[in-house]
Amino acid sequence: MNSEELRRLKRRKMLNSIMHVIFLACTLFGVVVLAILMLDILRKGIPWLSLDFLKNFPSRFPRKSGIYPALLGSLWVILLTALIAFPVGVGTAIYLEEYAEDNKFTEFIKLNIANLAGVPSIIYGMLGLAVFVRLFSMGRTILAAAFTMAILILPIIIISSQEAIKSVPSSLKQASYALGTTKWQTVTGVILPYALPGILTGSILAVSRALGEAAPLIVVGALAYVSFIPKGPLDQFTVLPIQIFNWAGMPKKEFQDIAAAGIIVLLVILLGVNSVAIILRNKYQIRMKD
Amino acid sequence: MEAILSVRNLNFYYGDNRALKDINMDIYKNNVTAFIGPSGCGKSTFLRTLNRMNDFIENVKVEGSIIYEGKDIYSKEMEPVELRRRIGMVFQKPNPFPKTIYENIVYGLRKNGVNKKEILDEVVEKTLKAVALYDEVKDKIYKSALELSGGQQQRLCIARAIAMQPDVVLMDEPTSALDPISTMKIEELVLELKKDYTIIIVTHSMQQAARISDYTAFFLNGEVIEYDETSKIFSNPRDKRTEDYITGRFG
Ligand SMILES: Nc1ncnc2c1ncn2[C@@H]1O[C@H](COP(=O)(O)OP(=O)(O)O)[C@@H](O)[C@H]1O
Ligand SMILES: [Mg+2]
């Protein structure tokens, strides 16, 4: 190797090292910002966390303030959202992958579902207000909110279910058909059992996205201040992100910290939901290996 | 000799590609019929026309008729789901369901409405014995079928097919993914099973065809060049191309 080549090699190595550092910095930037944010929230919020905080209603007095109605509201909305979105989403995916013919119309639907997944959530809020609250006269209720959220996460559930269904080996489907089964029997006997972990993972992640959404529910008409416990789908409600948003906007400094406590509660729930998804996915991967 | 399937002027198209050309053939009951020929000549395609597994492929066309029990299997009178229950299939690669050995065998029965435990238990034991798998797996029939070796999996797939008590069992190169010992076991099994079933087996091993089949059809480019008793095909082929193939001059 002559000196010219050696110099070029050194330059290439140098560039490589520089890029290495730059990419590391990019990664660290994200991680550090997130860490600072988390630390700040934990520092402010933890002193306010208590059982009373979970059990109390919001109040003018910081000491008495709690998130009980918002917590219940969130649980109600999310439960109903899942109940609506899961069967419809999985049903759509089964139809598109197994029943629908591969024609222009099916192609058109698939394309549009992919596009719908990218529509800003506030648009779904407008839709929910117009269709569920007004047209179907559901009013500003948990039910209307759940339908709105269900529509919002439907594309994600459909797409992830489609992927899971596509991953079912065709050799297994053929084995089932060759035993004299109908399409529906093959769907329930082979396709769904195989695809279920993937479907559940995608659906749970979709639901956890809905947990954190505030914008569409503000439009649909979640209340800013709730002094009662929602008891059924036709009650009015608020949800955690909206409650947090309200506290964060209050002038008293303590309420900023209470908002941080609310964020911690929301994060814990999200973390719990997501870890269920991760556990399912790991179980799924182990089975894929053999 | 009684024909269980009669194929008449069968043509098959993938789009514009004519993969089977004017096939006429009688498949005889309780015999083993082997399909041989170079790869891509239409053996699998033909096998799949016999239980309508080609229905799942888009953009295909079938002409001609296949008579089974007096009915054309491509006519409206024949329900493909029912047909596949009567004409079972074993695939090239072992494809057990990711379920227990037990559930693999009773899958088809359950889907056909048989749910009585005593009946299912009996079928599991009987079919496992029939495929000579019983002694090897009797302690783990409630374990996953995926824990079995490839050869055992393939025998399980045969058990799964015969649990439906079909008339005909179609096998598409069932030993091509297996080691010699497993292959030998499956060959013995085929000879055993022909007492109760009619077996059609695609194979690219001429030795295998010679060892286990009563009739052999030689395929070339979508045509049946020669179809006769196996002994005649191998000792005294009528067509030059058959002779070239079995003497290993091509394919
Ligand atoms: N699913 C399919 N779609 C289109 N063409 C196919 C398909 N399967 C097989 N063919 C074509 O049909 C011909 C016969 O194939 P095949 O029946 O698989 O042959 P063999 O089993 O004898 O190897 C080949 O030319 C192959 O390319
Ligand atoms: Mg083949």
Side-chain angles (χ1 to χ4, degrees):
Chain A
M1 214 182 285
N2 61 32
S3 67
E4 172 63 22
E5 274 176 9
L6 214 63
R7 234 191 37 231
R8 256 193 256 149
L9 183 68
K10 229 164 114 192
R11 258 220 324 264
R12 285 195 344 232
K13 275 190 171 166
M14 177 91 137
L15 185 64
N16 188 39
S17 310
I18 293 173
M19 291 320 283
H20 185 141
V21 171
I22 290 177
F23 291 139
L24 181 67
C26 292
T27 311
L28 283 182
F29 176 75
V31 172
V32 167
V33 169
L34 205 67
I36 292 174
L37 210 67
M38 282 303 297
L39 282 176
D40 187 49
I41 287 169
L42 288 176
R43 189 175 53 79
K44 287 183 183 157
I46 282 181
W48 292 91
L49 279 179
S50 67
L51 218 55
D52 280 343
F53 179 68
L54 294 180
K55 288 196 311 199
N56 281 354
F57 286 80
S59 155
R60 277 185 299 131
F61 309 105
R63 275 281 144 223
K64 286 195 194 163
S65 255
I67 53 163
Y68 192 48
L71 189 61
L72 276 188
S74 268
L75 293 181
W76 264 111
V77 170
I78 238 44
L79 195 76
L80 283 179
T81 300
L83 281 179
I84 298 163
F86 185 72
V88 176
V90 175
T92 308
I94 292 173
Y95 173 75
L96 289 176
E97 290 306 316
E98 296 300 322
Y99 284 86
E101 279 176 44
D102 266 341
N103 54 25
K104 285 266 174 338
F105 179 66
T106 313
E107 207 54 35
F108 178 75
I109 291 182
K110 285 185 183 175
L111 189 74
N112 275 292
I113 288 170
N115 285 336
L116 279 177
V119 172
S121 60
I122 191 127
I123 310 282
Y124 285 97
M126 310 291 289
L127 180 95
L129 181 66
V131 175
F132 301 119
V133 176
R134 303 237 168 95
L135 189 64
F136 292 166
S137 316
M138 289 181 192
R140 300 166 176 274
T141 57
I142 289 176
L143 192 64
F147 269 104
T148 307
M149 284 307 207
I151 303 283
L152 171 74
I153 64 173
L154 208 49
I156 312 175
I157 294 186
I158 294 172
I159 291 169
S160 56
S161 301
Q162 277 180 291
E163 290 307 316
I165 289 170
K166 268 189 219 154
S167 77
V168 179
S170 73
S171 65
L172 293 185
K173 293 194 241 172
Q174 290 195 10
S176 175
Y177 286 127
L179 289 164
T181 61
T182 60
K183 194 162 266 187
W184 172 238
Q185 289 177 319
T186 296
V187 165
T188 54
V190 175
I191 296 172
L192 281 184
Y194 197 99
L196 204 58
I199 291 175
L200 285 178
T201 309
S203 303
I204 290 171
L205 291 178
V207 164
S208 82
R209 168 168 178 210
L211 257 176
E213 284 284 353
L217 293 188
I218 292 176
V219 180
V220 169
L223 299 174
Y225 175 78
V226 174
S227 57
F228 58 88
I229 299 165
K231 290 201 184 64
L234 295 179
D235 282 349
Q236 292 190 295
F237 69 101
T238 192
V239 290
L240 286 172
I242 293 176
Q243 181 66 65
I244 292 166
F245 177 71
N246 284 334
W247 276 330
M250 290 195 178
K252 251 193 207 155
K253 158 117 192 5
E254 285 97 328
F255 280 113
Q256 315 289 316
D257 297 351
I258 292 174
I263 290 175
I264 295 174
V265 172
L266 182 57
L267 283 179
V268 166
I269 296 176
L270 281 175
L271 227 74
V273 169
N274 285 6
S275 39
V276 172
I278 290 169
I279 290 168
L280 274 172
R281 185 183 300 167
N282 287 350
K283 236 175 96 182
Y284 183 50
Q285 276 165 351
I286 289 166
R287 212 188 56 187
M288 290 290 284
K289 261 187 238 150
D290 45 38
Chain B
M1 190 86 63
E2 189 187 343
I4 193 162
L5 286 164
S6 300
V7 181
R8 293 291 173 263
N9 301 321
L10 188 78
N11 283 286
F12 187 89
Y13 302 83
Y14 291 109
D16 296 331
N17 172 19
R18 189 174 170 209
L20 297 176
K21 298 167 190 161
D22 284 323
I23 295 188
N24 286 283
M25 190 185 289
D26 281 340
I27 304 283
Y28 301 109
K29 212 173 161 181
N30 290 101
N31 277 280
V32 177
T33 304
F35 296 166
I36 60 170
S39 64
C41 66
K43 305 180 298 292
S44 299
T45 302
F46 182 52
L47 200 70
R48 286 196 304 261
T49 60
L50 300 176
N51 67 343
R52 294 192 58 170
M53 283 300 279
N54 284 324
D55 290 15
F56 299 105
I57 304 173
E58 307 228 338
N59 199 17
V60 299
K61 195 171 81 188
V62 189
E63 291 167 0
S65 56
I66 298 175
I67 308 298
Y68 170 63
E69 295 193 322
K71 288 183 208 157
D72 182 357
I73 66 169
Y74 283 93
S75 70
K76 290 230 157 54
E77 293 159 66
M78 187 65 84
E79 191 56 53
V81 171
E82 174 64 11
L83 175 74
R84 292 185 201 112
R85 206 180 67 67
R86 313 283 302 278
I87 302 185
M89 189 164 209
V90 176
F91 298 81
Q92 191 162 354
K93 248 182 81 203
N95 55 355
F97 300 123
K99 300 174 189 280
T100 63
I101 293 173
Y102 187 98
E103 285 304 323
N104 263 277
I105 295 175
V106 303
Y107 181 90
L109 290 172
R110 279 201 201 282
K111 299 292 174 196
N112 279 275
V114 184
N115 273 311
K116 266 223 181 78
K117 190 173 179 314
E118 307 91 76
I119 299 180
L120 297 180
D121 286 350
E122 197 190 314
V123 169
V124 169
E125 187 176 331
K126 217 175 75 189
T127 51
L128 280 177
K129 282 180 175 158
V131 299
L133 202 54
Y134 187 73
D135 290 331
E136 290 165 58
V137 306
K138 63 172 182 285
D139 299 325
K140 44 183 179 185
I141 55 173
Y142 298 107
K143 293 245 171 77
S144 169
L146 302 179
E147 287 172 23
L148 300 177
S149 73
Q152 290 174 325
Q153 287 187 4
Q154 194 62 305
R155 274 183 284 156
L156 178 65
C157 291
I158 296 174
R160 181 174 68 186
I162 65 176
M164 305 298 292
Q165 294 195 295
D167 292 332
V168 184
V169 181
L170 311 175
M171 302 186 176
D172 192 351
E173 303 196 25
T175 62
S176 66
L178 304 181
D179 60 90
I181 303 223
S182 305
T183 299
M184 201 184 70
K185 284 186 181 161
I186 299 233
E187 289 184 7
E188 282 167 7
L189 180 57
V190 168
L191 290 175
E192 195 59 38
L193 290 175
K194 79 172 182 179
K195 291 183 197 129
D196 301 310
Y197 307 95
T198 303
I199 293 174
I200 306 175
I201 183 167
V202 174
T203 173
H204 61 223
S205 152
M206 279 166 288
Q207 292 83 349
Q208 185 167 69
R211 278 194 298 265
I212 64 176
S213 71
D214 304 294
Y215 285 82
T216 297
F218 171 57
F219 283 74
L220 192 61
N221 297 329
E223 282 179 85
V224 175
I225 303 297
E226 197 164 344
Y227 174 51
D228 211 330
E229 285 174 32
T230 301
S231 54
K232 285 192 190 145
I233 292 270
F234 281 94
S235 62
N236 190 13
R238 275 176 283 127
D239 196 289
K240 177 81 170 63
R241 289 165 292 181
T242 316
E243 189 181 341
D244 286 350
Y245 184 72
I246 60 174
T247 51
R249 246 167 278 172
F250 74 94

